[in-house]
Amino acid sequence: MKQSQLVKFMLAAISAANQGIEKGQTPFGACVVMGGKIIARSHNQVWKRNDITAHAEILALRAACRRTHSLDLSGAVIFSTCEPCPMCFGACHWAKVSSIVYGARIADAKNYGFHELSIPSDAMRRLGKSRLRLVGPVLPEACVSLFAKWRSKAMSTAY
């Protein structure tokens, strides 16, 4: 995939994360791309749904599977504003997504107080012998800035 496409689709994931922030959700966004087109997009909705599995990647994968009427997303690329947690990485693996493109790293999320398991995607890929291709970071500064925006918004509404 060309650099311009990586940027275009990561910007769509960032837009989804910003929508989530505006709705009081945590600052994570994702989109699923097949055939050069976005087929699904979402932001974290853990608090809204009272569902610990409602991560942006999971919701985008669910929507992509509904749209394609298949559990097999071979050839798809998922763009995530942050390196996926183990649950999201596992879902990408089971859906047979070809590549994960991420912005911020798990360590960046931890720096802003998110309690992610500190298992980088590359380690999960290697230890699990997954065929998933990892690409990143793409637009890391813009993705990390989502954490600061979220924190600022959370602090301003806390009082």
Side-chain angles (χ1 to χ4, degrees), residues 28 55 85-86 106 109-118:
F28 301 91
H55 289 197
C85 72
I106 287 175
K110 284 189 80 91
N111 289 340
Y112 279 88
F114 290 94
H115 303 290
E116 306 300 323
L117 293 173
S118 297

Side-chain angles (χ1 to χ4, degrees), residues 48-70:
K48 175 185 177 186
R49 295 178 181 218
N50 195 35
D51 176 356
I52 57 170
T53 69
H55 289 197
E57 298 93 336
I58 299 293
L59 296 174
L61 289 169
R62 288 176 184 164
C65 288
R66 282 192 304 272
R67 181 152 185 203
T68 61
H69 305 285
S70 177

Side-chain angles (χ1 to χ4, degrees), residues 15 37 50 61 91 97 141 147-148:
S15 174
K37 295 183 177 157
N50 195 35
L61 289 169
V97 168
E141 296 85 9
F147 298 131

Side-chain angles (χ1 to χ4, degrees), residues 41-115:
R41 187 172 99 132
S42 192
H43 58 79
N44 265 31
Q45 296 180 34
V46 170
W47 294 345
K48 175 185 177 186
R49 295 178 181 218
N50 195 35
D51 176 356
I52 57 170
T53 69
H55 289 197
E57 298 93 336
I58 299 293
L59 296 174
L61 289 169
R62 288 176 184 164
C65 288
R66 282 192 304 272
R67 181 152 185 203
T68 61
H69 305 285
S70 177
L71 300 176
D72 185 345
L73 298 176
S74 294
V77 178
I78 190 163
F79 287 77
S80 177
T81 58
C82 188
E83 182 179 5
C85 72
M87 176 182 69
C88 294
F89 181 93
C92 290
H93 171 84
W94 286 110
K96 299 180 183 170
V97 168
S98 297
S99 300
I100 298 171
V101 180
Y102 64 90
R105 295 187 182 275
I106 287 175
D108 297 319
K110 284 189 80 91
N111 289 340
Y112 279 88
F114 290 94
H115 303 290

Side-chain angles (χ1 to χ4, degrees), residues 113-142:
F114 290 94
H115 303 290
E116 306 300 323
L117 293 173
S118 297
I119 306 170
S121 294
D122 188 54
M124 287 185 281
R125 184 187 60 73
R126 192 176 57 259
L127 291 170
K129 297 182 174 76
S130 178
R131 53 156 184 62
L132 271 167
R133 184 171 165 250
L134 297 171
V135 179
V138 173
L139 300 180
E141 296 85 9

